């Protein structure tokens, strides 16, 4: 008789937009429970607890971390990711942290040190590779190849964000590169390999963060042209080019559901893989299985990959002159 997989109980820090989608996704992951939540705004935390039936509304971080939970999901803004991740890891919890995992490379290194020190799993919540479409695309290109991807073009601009949206502000770790860029950095590193160099141009808003950035990156196996913005609108699709054809991952490519492979011989193959539960469920299921297996690092979103994404974004941001408080 098969034993039931271990129940993974979660605590949430930062019950905002992303945390709402995390709760929606968790409802689609068997043998998990959303057990505790802490938010600095008690009314919002209470609302979250009521909406998602969270039994323990923690008064503070120590109370959340003392709850019978194995894993913590950190969904505050990037300026506080390092502090909350380290506190959770030091209390013996496994941590899934929203992208970008930290403001900059030194802060990410401090998180990874805390994970190693405490022997706990840490993973950046980088969702695209766990979507059914992305996995199907990899399998299809392995079985019916187009050759080595040598160019990636991807980007997204969203000018519909409200004026008080956190991405507009430097003190919250805002800017389009840090807010949108983690996905673009992931795609380039995933298909093209190690980063060699970055060249960025862009413009800043009145709060001193990049409102538009265009960056070209050179990697071990090719080059990418990436863009991010919060003062324009753009399509949000992605293009992967190889000698034997190209792939278009349809918008919004970071929530991938459709892709078209165009082969050099004229064939066109449409992949159509709708996602369920909002899409956060796939990365969360992966994380829970790693916890159950005693793993300390995801083989998909490795610590080295998170560091490479952080380096790419930091290089692009610093070239535009965007520095965060304390840097
Ligand atoms: N994976 C995805 O698809 C996805 C989608 C959206 C966002 N994200 C990521 O998720 C993170 C949060 O973004 P969001 O859009 O969810 O933001 P949000 O809606 O503003 O929620 C942020 C939460 O963190 C809390 N918070 C902010 N600063 C804090 C501080 N200094 N101390 C304690 N709590 C603090 C906020 O509290 P208040 O309510 O009191 O402000 C709120 O509960 C970002 O890293 C973002 O890049 C990921």
């Amino acid at each position: 008789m098969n034993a039931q997989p271990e129940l993974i109980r979660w605590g949430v820090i930062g019950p905002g937009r992303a945390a709402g989608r995390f709760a929606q996704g968790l409802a689609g992951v068997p043998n998990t429970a959303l057990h505790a939540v802490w938010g600095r705004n008690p009314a919002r935390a209470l609302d979250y607890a009521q909406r998602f039936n969270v039994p323990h509304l923690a008064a503070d971080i120590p109370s959340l971390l003392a709850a019978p939970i194995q894993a913590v999901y950190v969904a505050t803004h990037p300026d506080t990711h390092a502090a909350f991740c380290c506190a959770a890891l030091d209390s013996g919890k496994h941590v899934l942290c929203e992208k970008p995992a930290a403001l900059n490379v030194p802060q990410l290194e401090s998180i990874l040190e805390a994970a190693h020190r405490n022997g706990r799993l840490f993973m950046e919540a980088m969702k695209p590779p766990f979507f059914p479409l992305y996995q199907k695309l990899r399998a299809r290109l392995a079985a019916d190849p187009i050759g080595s991807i040598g160019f990636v073009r991807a980007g997204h601009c969203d000018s519909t964000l409200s004026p008080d949206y956190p991405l507009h502000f430097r003190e919250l770790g805002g800017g389009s590169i840090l807010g949108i860029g983690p996905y673009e950095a992931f795609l380039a590193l995933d298909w093209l390999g190690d980063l060699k160099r970055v060249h960025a141009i862009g413009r800043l808003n009145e709060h001193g963060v990049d409102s538009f950035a265009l960056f070209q990156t050179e990697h071990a196996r090719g080059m990418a042209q990436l863009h991010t913005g919060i003062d324009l609108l753009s399509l949000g699709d992605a293009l992967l080019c190889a000698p034997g054809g190209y792939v278009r991952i349809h918008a919004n490519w970071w929530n991938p559901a459709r892709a078209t492979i165009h082969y050099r011989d004229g064939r066109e193959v449409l992949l159509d893989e709708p996602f369920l539960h909002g899409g956060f469920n796939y990365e969360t299921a992966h994380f829970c299985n790693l916890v159950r297996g005693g793993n300390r690092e995801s083989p998909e979103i490795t610590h080295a990959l998170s560091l490479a994404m952080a380096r790419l974004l930091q290089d692009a941001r610093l070239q535009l002159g965007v520095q965060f408080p304390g840097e």
Side-chain angles (χ1 to χ4, degrees), residues 244-274:
Y246 64 91
V247 178
R248 186 157 81 88
I249 310 178
H250 299 231
N252 294 332
W253 84 257
W254 56 95
N255 288 319
R258 283 158 69 85
T260 308
I261 308 173
H262 300 258
Y263 286 92
R264 193 173 50 186
D265 62 14
R267 284 178 299 137
E268 274 188 17
V269 175
L270 174 68
L271 306 179
D272 192 354
E273 295 287 326

Side-chain angles (χ1 to χ4, degrees), residues 14-19 21 38 40-41 44 73 75-81 84 98-100 125 127 165-166 172 178-179 183 255 280 283:
R17 283 168 284 243
R21 291 170 60 189
W38 173 79
R40 67 177 172 181
N41 179 322
R44 286 196 197 132
Y73 172 66
T76 56
H77 305 143
D79 61 321
T80 52
H81 284 178
F84 288 131
E98 260 312 329
K99 47 59 76 179
K127 63 190 173 174
Y165 202 83
L172 300 179
L178 218 55
Y183 293 128
N255 288 319
F280 280 38
E283 63 183 351

Side-chain angles (χ1 to χ4, degrees), residues 135-164:
Q135 305 215 336
K136 181 114 181 237
L137 175 62
R138 280 178 173 165
R140 173 78 204 197
L141 291 180
D144 191 0
I146 58 174
S148 177
I149 306 291
F151 174 61
V152 170
R153 193 201 69 201
H156 182 226
C157 295
D158 188 352
S159 61
T160 68
L161 305 175
S162 64
D164 63 349

Side-chain angles (χ1 to χ4, degrees), residues 30-320:
N31 300 302
T32 61
L34 192 38
H35 182 78
V37 59
W38 173 79
R40 67 177 172 181
N41 179 322
R44 286 196 197 132
L46 174 63
D47 175 65
Y48 185 89
Q50 288 174 339
R51 267 192 297 146
F52 299 111
N53 295 317
V54 187
H56 182 57
L57 180 58
D60 49 27
I61 290 285
S63 151
L64 178 99
L65 297 176
I69 55 176
Q70 294 97 316
V72 170
Y73 172 66
V74 174
T76 56
H77 305 143
D79 61 321
T80 52
H81 284 178
F84 288 131
C85 287
C86 290
L89 291 162
D90 284 337
S91 80
K93 305 298 183 279
H94 306 289
V95 172
L96 177 68
C97 177
E98 260 312 329
K99 47 59 76 179
L103 270 190
N104 52 31
V105 172
Q107 288 195 6
L108 178 56
E109 285 171 341
S110 75
I111 296 173
L112 300 180
E113 277 165 28
H116 289 139
R117 188 167 65 237
N118 294 290
R120 291 296 177 267
L121 170 64
F122 173 80
M123 186 179 114
E124 181 172 5
M126 179 47 56
K127 63 190 173 174
F130 303 103
F131 275 57
L133 182 282
Y134 205 92
Q135 305 215 336
K136 181 114 181 237
L137 175 62
R138 280 178 173 165
R140 173 78 204 197
L141 291 180
D144 191 0
I146 58 174
S148 177
I149 306 291
F151 174 61
V152 170
R153 193 201 69 201
H156 182 226
C157 295
D158 188 352
S159 61
T160 68
L161 305 175
S162 64
D164 63 349
Y165 202 83
L167 288 192
H168 297 296
F169 304 102
R170 201 166 69 95
E171 63 275 18
L172 300 179
S176 69
I177 292 176
L178 218 55
I180 296 170
Y183 293 128
E184 320 311 324
F186 162 77
L187 195 73
L189 289 160
D190 192 38
W191 293 96
L192 301 173
D194 289 345
L195 180 68
K196 288 185 176 169
R197 62 190 168 127
V198 182
H199 179 246
I201 53 175
R203 59 174 167 263
L204 309 191
N205 69 7
E206 69 273 28
H207 305 292
V209 292
D210 50 287
S211 54
F212 180 75
L214 179 62
F215 37 117
Q216 311 198 110
T217 56
E218 186 179 357
H219 299 255
R221 296 190 297 276
M223 292 161 214
Q225 189 179 53
L226 311 170
H227 73 265
T228 58
I230 49 178
D231 61 3
L232 303 172
L233 265 187
S234 76
L235 179 60
D237 63 349
L239 187 69
L240 314 174
C241 301
Y246 64 91
V247 178
R248 186 157 81 88
I249 310 178
H250 299 231
N252 294 332
W253 84 257
W254 56 95
N255 288 319
R258 283 158 69 85
T260 308
I261 308 173
H262 300 258
Y263 286 92
R264 193 173 50 186
D265 62 14
R267 284 178 299 137
E268 274 188 17
V269 175
L270 174 68
L271 306 179
D272 192 354
E273 295 287 326
F275 56 87
L276 304 173
H277 305 290
F280 280 38
N281 41 310
Y282 304 108
E283 63 183 351
T284 310
H286 171 81
F287 184 97
C288 289
N289 286 334
L290 292 176
V291 170
R292 293 185 186 107
N295 300 283
R296 298 300 173 244
E297 186 172 350
S298 163
E300 181 70 55
I301 306 301
T302 62
H303 293 174
L305 176 60
S306 284
L307 277 168
M309 292 189 277
R311 279 200 191 97
L312 191 161
L313 300 173
Q314 180 173 290
D315 280 5
R317 177 172 62 79
L318 292 178
Q319 283 177 28
L320 298 189

